[in-house]
Structures are given as structure tokens and as C-alpha cells.
Amino acid sequence: MDQSKVRRLVLDPAEPFAFSQASLQDYADCARRFQLRYVQRLSWPAAQAEPVQENEQHLRRGARFHRLAQQALLGVPLEPLAQIAAADPDPALAAWWEHFTRLLPALEAGERRVELGLSAPLGRHRLSAVYDLVQVFPAEGRAVIWDWKTSLARPRRAWLEGRLQTLVYPYLLVQAGSWLNGGQPFAPEQIEMVYWFTGFPDKPERFTCSAAAYRKAGRSLMALVREIEALGPDGFEKTPEEKTCRFCVYRSLCERGAGAGPLAEQEDEGEAESGEIEIDFDQIGEIRY
Amino acid sequence: MNLTPAQLAVVRQPPGARLFLEGPAGSGKTTAAVARLLALLDAGVPGAHILVLVPQRTLAGPYYAALRSPAAAPGGQVSVLTAGGLAQRMVDLFWPLVAKDAGFDPLRPPAFLTLETAQYYMAHLVRPLFDEGLFESVAIDRNRLYSQILDNLNKAALIGFPVSEIGERLSAAWSGESAQLRVYADVQRCANLFRDYCLQHNLLDFSLQVEVFRKHLQHSLLVSEYLKASVRHVIADNIEEDTPFAHEILQGWLPGLDSALLIYDQGAGYRSFLGADRASAERLAAACTTHLGMAGSLVTPPPLEQLGQRIGAALERPQAAPQEGADWDSALDFPPELRFFPQMLDWVAGQVRSLLDSGTPPGEIAILAPFLPDALRFALTNRLDALGVPYRSHRPSRSLADEPAARCLLTLARLAHPAWGLRPSRVEVVHALFQAIAAIDLVRAQLLAEVVYRPKDARLSPFGRIHPDMQERITFSVGNRYEALRAWLADYAEGEPAELDFFFTRLFGEVLSQPGYGFHSERDAGQVAASLIESAQKFRYAIEAAGGMDGKPLGREYLEMVQDGVIASTYVQSWQPPQADAVFIAPAYTFLLNNRPVEHQFWLDVGSNGWFERLSQPLTHPYVLSRDWPAGRLWTSVDEYEANREALFRLALGLLRRCKGRVHLAFSTLSEGGYEQKGMLLRSIYQVQLEEAARG
Ligand code: SF4
């Protein structure tokens, strides 16, 4: 019995799980998807949105923009970055870059933490996030979380408000960010979260936090985690919202259709931005055995 | 965490200490380092300022586990990287600063090559030269030839000598027939060609990533300030397995760090063929303020340690420290007299079964061999299967392209692109149908292929055109599924061809993974499909970055390269297999670098000289291409013998230090090929036994 291929069906009670806003969002969208993706770690290479080619272009363009923004914020001179954006095969990138350079002066103030990774215990597990940018104003004990969104359509405020990201990012900054604030946790009301849209630069969406919202976020996150911990192998149910399945790669497995939904109707921005692009650095070392 | 006094001493060193910690495997160094990492976090050191540096990711397991646990204080995320990973990250991030000076087009982003795509470009450049007689005298598989040239480039970068000196260094140490010098000249020519091509096309293989970092980035003001701000504390584990490149980085950082902990495993150094350098690791001790040592083992019973030292003495290793009177006999298990190789495998499987029956958890058993060819793995796992033994292997036994699911996708791709002229054989179509359609057996798949497939024009005909009797034999449910698949392929073939990875994605999602098809209920087939699609996608990215294919369809090139074994010939798992409680089957070095001790080790085919002799590598040389090899010194058979004995001692000692209970020696009088065998490892063990007997 080759056990290399045996997959778990529930969370390992002996192993802490690394939660992120993306995995929690997946759970909130569909428990079955969470089980397939994070518990079973099942790669299922179907299309996420159609046309496949455009979807890929969209994801890669988003990744390139994130890289340019990161470089600019780290102090790489803007001129070569502008040249790279202008030479990009995708004309949208140059436009996004131009929008971003208009935003840059506002990002100059305070201390900038680019691609900041934070992590804190969550029950017997861990919660982690990588922030595009956190702008810290130490004198005021204030922080602004920036998140670049490269989606084709500008999502509605209500939709963003319901996303786990909007809950997790400020919560985790309070939990794990005291080292950014002279050793004191940020007061929740001193945290602002801004979604900035590359295609709609003049219409950012801002969310403020409060002590009550922070406490509620903590309770909601723990409740979610306890719910996941308590699920048995058959407890991860398919979502009743079949619309969700149109943009889910597991749809054939769940018998929820054949073709992927149209890219233009996808409110989320796809998967490439949910974390760092995984690069296998160690192939050189591992392949020889 | 229960710590020994020696471990506590490490944890309690002042926060600003620069520590050099050495000791044998199993003495508890990594546990101490993990505890110190957690203590740093507890003391308020921001995790974002800590870097854990390891030679390869398998060695980072204990750090990842600690950082994932709620025991780690909240804060910034600790980085866990290899030196190569750090270089790639920095090149990617600061590309605009250095691209021009490094000889690239600064307006285009860097295209990082994977091992597979680097191998492809090497093949692309070298293949036309075979007609000129290049490497005529070298009798190895072409793909190994490409990978050894790449190996040389990587070594040049990691050790820090110019690529242009590869041939010269190899030639200067060669003491055999002069024809080999021509081979080294060919190696140099190919390395130059590859390097030039990469520079012209913004391609960065591993060696260029390292070189660009070392020559251009490391000293850039912005980069060094960035690194200075983000790396304040370093824990570098297993530095003896790391390369001079990693050591140089550490050497440069050490004076300015807030704290450092460098860990050196005495008696190890298994990655020398990948450029690891123990001597340059040792030199880092001088840059540290405090030296700590750990002795003894928390893992290995003293008799096993003693056995290792006695083997060392038998191999005439000066550093071996044998003591008399250790009762290592009880820790060693010899098989009964076994004449044939298959009997040895039967014995191993039987012994493993008995251990499980007497209560040993499967995860406490490892079966190890110097190399693990597919045939051996297959023979062994068949026996374990028959006895109901759960096992796991370090990677699937087949190459990606040989996996039935991948073969199915590749065959269907050839059918869907008749213009490419890559007509599948009927047998290939039989196997593709067998994999693609659920509930079809091989007989029906054969019948179906017989009547619907004409290899001459690579066309599938409709099920409806088959004689009704035959339709009935094949069954209508199979026929309907076949028909939907055929129609999908025909429909696709009518339109503009898509990129191959898109073709695979759609075929998988819309047909093959749907109910009624073979991939639907076979999760591993999905995994294989994902790996194949990723391979095709990375291939496309690399080609696109280099400016395309000059008219030849990229998908066709990919399929041809798969057929040639250049691409998809290895199976690099992109996901971590679940850690099952199962017997671990692995090559001995893989086991060492996984660094997880077990109760019982089976040393397979211990009479074979594979334990002693290094793999033949006619185009490269791990010892000559090292930093300390004196220029112009010849590599002689005495050097070879010495190096092999040293490596065998380190290997045996390393394995014994990762054994908590007993080593079971498995050997047969005759080898697999029918020859009598008494390899160096077995002879050394016999010698130790004889000495013991003589002492009474
Ligand atoms: S296809 Fe639908 S039900 Fe299945 S995992 Fe995806 S979202 Fe959940």
C-alpha cells in the first residue's frame, strides 16, 4: 500500500494549520472546496474562468503590477520601472503604472512596510497574511493597510465588506503588529484598510476598524476555526450556491458542470494574487536523489 | 519543549551573540536552534528580521513546524530560505538595477529557468553539434550529458570561478587517456554557448541567478540596505551541506548582524557533489564570537555510534574514534545465508512485516539503498504490497511522461493536432482510451481502437459508424463516452490550435475529469495532469520570454521534447505528500537529508559496491571543481579510492546516527546480475566482526 498518495479528509488534530484569508474565504464560500484544496491538497487543473488565455493574461498582468509596485516602494528608481511598464506587451500595465505613480506621493508619508508578512496564533493554529503595503504613522499610533486590486471590474463595497480579507487584515495587524508601533498593539480604531483598484484609481474603497469590530472579528475567526476543526470526513459539504461553482476548478469532481464561468463576471481577482507565486528554489538540490 | 543543559546553554546565550555550534547528528543542535528561534521571538525580536538559512528545504522541517505552531509569538513572519532562493528573490526584486550591467535587456523582466527548461535550452543548443562529432566518445544518455554540463555551470557559480574555466580545470586534473581532454573542451564549448544564449534572451538558469546576485546585486547600495534592514538575526543550519556561495553571504553579514547561530554537523557533508563545502563552512567559525559544542547523541544508542567509528577505523579514517568493548552486535541484524537477490528482497519484506506485527509503527522503519532504480523499487513494493505493509517512497517511481494519465493526455494532444505529424501508434491510442474512459477494460479499449483508429491519418472515426455487433460488444455506455471525447477533439481540431497547456486544461476540465471518464474518480490522475500542465506552461513561459519559436508551434516542440526525454522526464512534486505513518523507502542520501531518525533501518544490498563507488560523471567532477582543489593537481586513482572511503565512512556514520534501535543488513551472495559480491561496506563490517572475534 503506497501511502505517499493517501490524503487526509479532516484537519490533522496533531498538526497546527496555517490559516490565511484565502483559505478562510474558501471555507466561507464552500466547505468542500476547503477540504479539497487545503486538507486533501488536491491539484485539479481545470479552468477557473473562460477564456482560459485571457484569464491567464489577467493573472500574470496582476502579478507584474504587484512586482512593479513593490519595486517602486522599495526605492527602485521610477524611470526604469516606467520603461518596463511601457515596454510590457500588455498595454493595460502602462496605464495601471501611470495610475499608481499618481498615488505614490500619498504613500511617501510615514514608515512603509512593503509585502509585509504577519502571523499570530489562532486557537491551536496560526493565522498569517502578506500585506501589499502597510503605512505606519508612529507618532499617531496609526496604520493604513493598502491592498492593490487588479480585477477587471470594480467590486461593490458590500461585497468587499463581506470578504474575509477585510476582517483578517486589520485583526491580524492588531494581533501581530505591535513591533511596528513601538511595542504597543495598534488600537483598532487607528487602523484603516484601503482597497486601491488599478483600473479605477480614483475610486478606492476605505474601511475603518473599531474596538467592537475587532472583538467581533476575533470571535468570528475563532468560531470559523472551531467549526472547521469539528467537521468529520463527510462534514465538508458542497455549497448550495451553484453560482460559486462556475469559478471553481473542482466543478467536475463535484458534478457541478463542465465549462468555467466567464472571466468578466468573476468578482474575485483569481488565485495568483492570493499569496506569493510559489517558485521551486530547491530543484537543483532535490532532483538528484 | 524539554531541553538538555547543553541545549539550554544555546538558548540562553545573550541575544546579541554570534554562535558557532557544532556536534554530531542527533546531539540536539537543531532542537536547540528551534528553541532559540522561539526565544528570540518571545524576547520581542520581530520575526521579519530573522532569516533561517538552510541548504535545502527538506532540512527546514523543524523550523516550519515551530513557526506554524501557536507556540511562536505573534509578529512578523520569519523567512526560511536557501541561498539560491535568496539570490533568485533578490534578482527578481531588484532586476531593473542590474539587468543592463549584467548583460541583459533591462526592459524585459527576467525569465527564470527551471531545471527542466534549462535542460531544454541546453539540448536545443547542443543537439545540432552532435553531427560535428561532439561528445562522440561519451557513452551516456544524452539527458545526463545535458544535466552534467548544467551542473558544471552551477558549480562555477556556487564556488565562484568563471564559467570560462570549467574545461581548463577539469583538464588540468585529468590523468587518464587524452581523448577525455577533447570531451572537456566540448563541455566548455557547450557551457559558453548556453551562457551566451541565456544572456541574449534574458534567461536566468540557476548559475546566472547566483552570479548576478554575487557580482551585481550583493554590493548595490539599495540591496545591501534592504538586506541589512530585513536580516538582523540569522540561524543557518547544516552549513556543512551548503556551498561557498552561502558561506560567502554569511561571512559578509556576520559582523553587522544583531545575532547569529551557525550550526555545523560534524561528520556530515553529503552534498559535496552539489557544490557543498565543509572546509569553507568550518572557516565561518572564526567570524563567530562564541563556540559551542554538543557531544553524544539523543538518538543513537552507544553501540551504533561505536559501530560507525569501528567502520571508520576499518576504512582507515584518521578521525574515527573507535573504542573497545561496545556491544554493537545486538544492534546489528544479519540475514540468514541468502544466495539470490530476490531472496534478499523477500527477507526484507518479511522482516518488516514481523516488526509491524510485534508493534513497531511503520513510520519507524526505513529501507535504504545507495540508489533506488525503478526496477528495484517495483520489486520491493510488490512484496510489501503482498504483505500489506504501508510504505511511502521519496517520489513516484515513474517519470512524469510515463505516468498513464500523462501518457493519455499526450496521446490525445497528438490526435488533436494532426497537422503536427506526430501520429500516435494504435497501442498508444488503446492506452489513452483505457485511461480516459471509466469502466472500459483493456479488451474493449483494444477492440474500440482497432475499429475507430487509423494510424495512417491519425483520425478517430465516430462510434455510430461501427458495425452494430461491435457496438454491442464495446457497450453503448462506453460508446457514448468515447463519442463525446471524439467530438470534443474533432471540434477542437477545427479551430485555431490553443497553447498546449490550455488544451490540456480544457480537455481535463470539460471531458476527462467529468463523471464517466477516467480522471473523475482518480485523484492521483488529477495530480499528474496538474504536473504535466505546469511543465507545459513553464516551458511556454520560457520560450515566450526568449522571443518565441520562429514559426514552429510551441506545443509540437514540447511534445517532441517529451518524446526525447528532455522534458517531463523527472517528477518534481509540487505538493508535499501527506506525512503518512508508513515505511519510508529512499536512497540513503535522501534519508540523510530528510533528517528524521527511525527505530529500524534496512540497508539494502549491502554487498553492492554502489555504497562505495560514486556515480560515473564523465563531464564533471565534484572534487576537482571545488574551491580547495589546487590548480593543476592531477586527480589519481588513489584520490578516488580515498574520497570513496571517506564518503562511505560519512554515509555509514550518518545513517547510524539516525538510527534509534537496530540496523538490518540485507545482502545476498549473488548480485541482481548474478555476480558474487563483497562491496567495501560489507567488507568493512566483516573486518569489524573479525577484529571483535579475535579479541574474544
Ligand atoms: S465545485 Fe462548487 S461545490 Fe465543489 S468545491 Fe467548488 S464551489 Fe464547492
Side-chain angles (χ1 to χ4, degrees):
Chain A
M1 288 171 289
D2 186 349
Q3 301 288 303
S4 313
K5 296 169 177 177
V6 171
R7 296 171 195 277
R8 298 198 64 82
L9 293 172
V10 294
L11 284 193
D12 185 345
E15 279 282 312
F17 184 85
F19 284 101
S20 64
Q21 63 87 15
S23 60
L24 288 166
Q25 187 64 55
D26 272 331
Y27 179 74
D29 289 345
C30 174
R32 180 86 176 122
R33 187 197 288 176
F34 178 88
Q35 185 191 37
L36 291 167
R37 181 169 292 163
Y38 302 100
V39 185
Q40 298 195 12
R41 295 176 170 194
L42 182 63
S43 297
W44 203 249
Q48 196 185 355
E50 284 282 2
V52 194
Q53 191 149 0
E54 271 174 41
N55 189 41
E56 184 197 83
Q57 267 170 16
H58 166 65
L59 294 175
R60 292 179 79 188
R61 182 172 54 213
R64 290 202 296 277
F65 171 79
H66 274 73
R67 178 49 36 96
L68 282 175
Q70 186 185 3
Q71 289 168 327
L73 293 165
L74 285 176
V76 174
L78 296 184
E79 201 186 309
L81 296 178
Q83 287 170 350
I84 290 176
D88 197 272
D90 192 329
L93 196 72
W96 289 0
W97 174 254
E98 204 269 315
H99 297 158
F100 185 69
T101 52
R102 279 194 268 140
L103 175 71
L104 265 175
L107 306 178
E108 294 293 337
E111 288 173 9
R112 293 187 303 203
R113 304 282 173 167
V114 188
E115 291 288 312
L116 174 72
L118 291 181
S119 132
L122 182 64
R124 64 172 188 87
H125 306 283
R126 222 157 164 96
L127 178 65
S128 304
V130 178
Y131 299 72
D132 286 337
L133 171 68
V134 176
Q135 216 176 353
V136 180
F137 302 90
E140 304 151 57
R142 191 165 71 82
V144 183
I145 298 167
W146 292 88
D147 193 74
W148 323 132
K149 288 275 177 238
T150 56
S151 44
L152 295 178
R154 187 186 177 291
R156 295 161 292 126
R157 181 175 174 86
W159 184 83
L160 286 166
E161 197 162 16
R163 304 296 287 173
L164 262 302
Q165 186 179 11
T166 312
L167 188 91
V168 165
Y169 275 35
Y171 172 80
L172 188 60
L173 185 57
V174 178
Q175 285 279 305
S178 55
W179 60 283
L180 299 167
N181 190 36
Q184 290 300 313
F186 287 103
E189 50 279 3
Q190 292 295 336
I191 293 179
E192 185 186 17
M193 172 140 189
V194 186
Y195 290 107
W196 184 82
F197 305 95
T198 49
F200 311 89
D202 302 326
K203 294 181 185 164
E205 202 63 79
R206 293 172 184 273
F207 292 92
T208 49
C209 194
S210 69
Y214 166 73
R215 282 195 300 274
K216 191 171 162 224
R219 285 196 301 273
S220 311
L221 289 171
M222 268 322 295
L224 266 182
V225 168
R226 292 226 175 85
E227 196 178 303
I228 297 171
E229 281 174 334
L231 289 179
D234 300 324
F236 292 86
E237 291 192 351
K238 296 179 194 170
T239 175
E241 280 288 327
E242 297 214 8
K243 201 174 152 231
T244 311
C245 307
R246 294 197 305 159
F247 300 104
C248 176
V249 292
Y250 299 113
R251 77 187 77 79
S252 56
L253 205 56
C254 298
E255 304 189 18
R256 291 273 174 99
L263 177 62
E265 287 177 28
Q266 186 180 232
E267 267 187 296
D268 205 351
E269 27 183 21
E271 283 172 9
E273 285 184 314
S274 59
E276 285 207 359
I277 294 171
E278 182 68 14
I279 298 163
D280 202 343
F281 295 130
D282 295 326
Q283 287 188 69
I284 300 285
E286 286 173 4
I287 202 134
R288 298 286 302 270
Y289 299 103
Chain B
M1 213 184 276
N2 284 333
L3 299 177
T4 64
Q7 289 172 327
L8 279 172
V10 175
V11 179
R12 289 180 184 155
Q13 289 294 315
R18 287 196 287 279
L19 308 170
F20 190 89
L21 171 62
E22 59 181 314
S27 57
K29 303 182 299 300
T30 298
T31 305
V34 168
R36 184 161 169 90
L37 169 64
L38 295 177
L40 285 173
L41 293 171
D42 271 345
V45 170
H49 292 173
I50 303 176
L51 170 68
V52 176
L53 191 72
V54 286
Q56 69 176 50
R57 258 194 293 186
T58 54
L59 292 166
Y63 297 95
Y64 281 126
L67 293 169
R68 235 191 354 249
S69 85
Q77 268 177 0
V78 173
S79 301
V80 183
L81 283 175
T82 60
L86 175 78
Q88 188 183 51
R89 222 171 248 205
M90 292 302 104
V91 172
D92 194 22
L93 211 47
F94 295 103
W95 176 249
L97 298 181
V98 292
K100 192 155 174 257
D101 289 348
F104 297 97
D105 174 359
L107 290 185
R108 286 191 293 140
F112 297 111
L113 296 182
T114 60
L115 197 61
E116 187 172 273
T117 47
Q119 180 129 328
Y120 163 73
Y121 276 112
M122 186 60 84
H124 175 72
L125 295 166
V126 174
R127 259 190 312 180
L129 303 179
F130 289 135
D131 293 341
E132 290 178 25
L134 238 71
F135 299 116
E136 227 166 23
S137 60
V138 181
I140 57 167
D141 172 76
R142 283 189 178 179
N143 293 315
R144 283 193 58 213
L145 188 146
Y146 306 139
S147 80
Q148 285 181 36
I149 304 172
L150 288 169
D151 214 51
N152 285 324
L153 283 148
N154 294 341
K155 291 224 173 76
L158 291 168
I159 292 156
F161 65 85
V163 163
S164 56
E165 285 181 15
I166 294 170
E168 196 183 310
R169 284 177 179 240
L170 290 169
S171 301
W174 177 250
S175 58
E177 292 193 13
S178 61
Q180 180 67 17
L181 299 178
R182 164 84 203 277
V183 173
Y184 290 146
D186 291 348
V187 166
Q188 184 64 63
R189 184 173 165 200
C190 296
N192 294 346
L193 266 177
F194 181 79
R195 174 55 60 90
D196 292 346
Y197 190 88
C198 286
L199 286 170
Q200 280 161 21
H201 293 87
N202 269 34
L203 302 173
L204 285 97
D205 68 318
F206 181 80
S207 72
L208 261 173
Q209 294 163 33
V210 169
E211 268 202 36
V212 171
F213 178 79
R214 173 187 268 137
K215 284 196 196 152
H216 301 278
L217 274 173
Q218 211 174 2
H219 307 295
S220 125
L221 191 64
L222 186 59
V223 176
S224 49
E225 272 180 5
Y226 171 78
L227 287 173
K228 209 190 271 175
S230 45
V231 182
R232 302 300 320 144
H233 302 260
V234 169
I235 295 176
D237 206 343
N238 290 104
I239 55 172
E240 80 291 341
E241 307 298 346
D242 227 325
T243 62
F245 170 61
H247 302 147
E248 242 173 54
I249 295 175
L250 288 168
Q251 189 85 49
W253 282 350
L254 273 168
L257 289 175
D258 291 342
S259 89
L261 170 56
L262 311 189
I263 301 160
Y264 180 89
D265 191 345
Q266 292 164 339
Y270 311 116
R271 296 172 89 246
S272 58
F273 61 95
L274 289 168
D277 191 329
R278 291 194 305 272
S280 85
E282 271 171 31
R283 288 195 280 270
L284 287 170
C288 293
T289 52
T290 310
H291 290 209
L292 296 168
M294 282 189 175
S297 175
L298 305 174
V299 173
T300 320
L304 281 179
E305 171 70 23
Q306 262 317 299
L307 174 63
Q309 299 297 342
R310 297 286 293 272
I311 291 175
L315 290 165
E316 296 172 357
R317 296 300 85 206
Q319 73 275 37
Q323 285 165 13
E324 285 178 17
D327 175 26
W328 50 264
D329 226 6
S330 62
L332 210 50
D333 180 21
F334 284 86
E337 176 102 18
L338 300 169
R339 189 159 168 73
F340 299 109
F341 195 80
Q343 291 176 309
M344 176 195 72
L345 297 179
D346 290 339
W347 179 77
V348 169
Q351 289 295 102
V352 169
R353 184 65 260 174
S354 324
L355 285 172
L356 298 190
D357 292 342
S358 55
T360 305
E364 286 296 335
I365 301 172
I367 303 176
L368 309 169
F371 310 108
L372 204 52
D374 289 353
L376 173 57
R377 193 193 322 247
F378 185 69
L380 184 63
T381 54
N382 265 353
R383 285 165 169 83
L384 295 175
D385 276 333
L387 296 176
V389 172
Y391 60 85
R392 66 190 176 93
S393 188
H394 73 298
R395 70 169 184 236
S397 61
R398 277 183 289 240
S399 80
L400 178 57
D402 285 338
E403 287 288 330
R407 275 173 30 202
C408 168
L409 283 164
L410 293 163
T411 302
L412 296 178
R414 284 153 65 196
L415 283 174
H417 299 91
W420 295 352
L422 304 168
R423 288 189 286 266
S425 68
R426 182 166 282 134
V427 175
E428 287 173 311
V429 172
V430 169
H431 285 286
L433 293 173
F434 180 60
Q435 169 69 37
I437 298 170
I440 190 175
D441 54 33
L442 207 49
V443 175
R444 284 194 181 85
Q446 251 154 354
L447 278 178
L448 184 60
E450 201 71 42
V451 288
V452 296
Y453 181 57
R454 288 195 309 265
K456 202 160 56 98
D457 54 5
R459 194 123 335 128
L460 293 170
S461 54
F463 189 70
R465 288 213 204 127
I466 305 176
H467 194 277
D469 285 353
M470 187 58 90
Q471 286 182 337
E472 228 163 279
R473 278 181 72 188
I474 292 166
T475 75
F476 286 96
S477 75
V478 165
N480 287 339
R481 290 168 199 168
Y482 160 75
E483 191 46 35
L485 171 63
R486 188 202 65 80
W488 190 96
L489 292 170
D491 195 38
Y492 168 85
E494 299 242 305
E496 274 292 300
E499 298 296 356
L500 194 58
D501 49 319
F502 295 152
F503 164 81
F504 286 145
T505 297
R506 289 192 49 216
L507 177 61
F508 173 85
E510 293 170 25
V511 186
L512 299 177
S513 67
Q514 290 293 327
Y517 291 88
F519 291 62
H520 181 70
S521 52
E522 227 193 288
R523 306 274 156 110
D524 296 319
Q527 188 67 56
V528 169
S531 297
L532 185 73
I533 291 170
E534 191 185 331
S535 156
Q537 185 195 52
K538 284 187 175 162
F539 179 78
R540 173 164 62 85
Y541 288 175
I543 301 278
E544 282 172 359
M549 281 291 311
D550 285 342
K552 185 173 180 184
L554 218 145
R556 179 178 163 185
E557 176 78 353
Y558 181 85
L559 292 178
E560 285 176 356
M561 289 298 105
V562 171
Q563 264 175 334
D564 275 11
V566 175
I567 294 273
S569 59
T570 47
Y571 195 148
V572 180
Q573 284 177 340
S574 52
W575 98 109
Q576 278 288 99
Q579 292 298 307
D581 183 17
V583 174
F584 186 42
I585 307 171
Y589 282 107
T590 304
F591 174 78
L592 287 177
L593 292 166
N594 267 3
N595 208 13
R596 208 183 67 81
V598 291
E599 199 73 39
H600 293 272
Q601 289 178 9
F602 284 81
W603 294 4
L604 216 55
D605 202 12
V606 78
S608 145
N609 241 350
W611 287 90
F612 176 66
E613 285 165 358
R614 71 188 167 92
L615 205 66
S616 153
Q617 289 184 303
L619 308 193
T620 181
H621 199 298
Y623 297 102
V624 167
L625 296 186
S626 74
R627 193 168 270 192
D628 287 337
W629 186 254
R633 195 184 136 190
L634 292 180
W635 176 263
T636 63
S637 52
V638 176
D639 291 317
E640 182 75 30
Y641 187 61
E642 264 302 293
N644 285 348
R645 286 201 299 180
E646 179 67 24
L648 177 58
F649 172 47
R650 286 177 184 274
L651 172 61
L653 193 61
L655 293 178
L656 291 165
R657 284 178 172 169
R658 287 164 180 83
C659 184
K660 296 186 269 183
R662 209 149 189 236
V663 171
H664 307 260
L665 300 178
F667 58 92
S668 51
T669 315
L670 300 181
S671 69
E672 209 176 354
Y675 299 104
E676 192 143 351
Q677 51 178 9
K678 278 223 178 71
M680 184 61 88
L681 177 57
L682 190 57
R683 271 193 284 153
S684 307
I685 295 171
Y686 279 153
Q687 188 177 327
V688 175
Q689 259 194 323
L690 284 174
E691 285 167 9
E692 198 71 10
R695 262 188 220 109

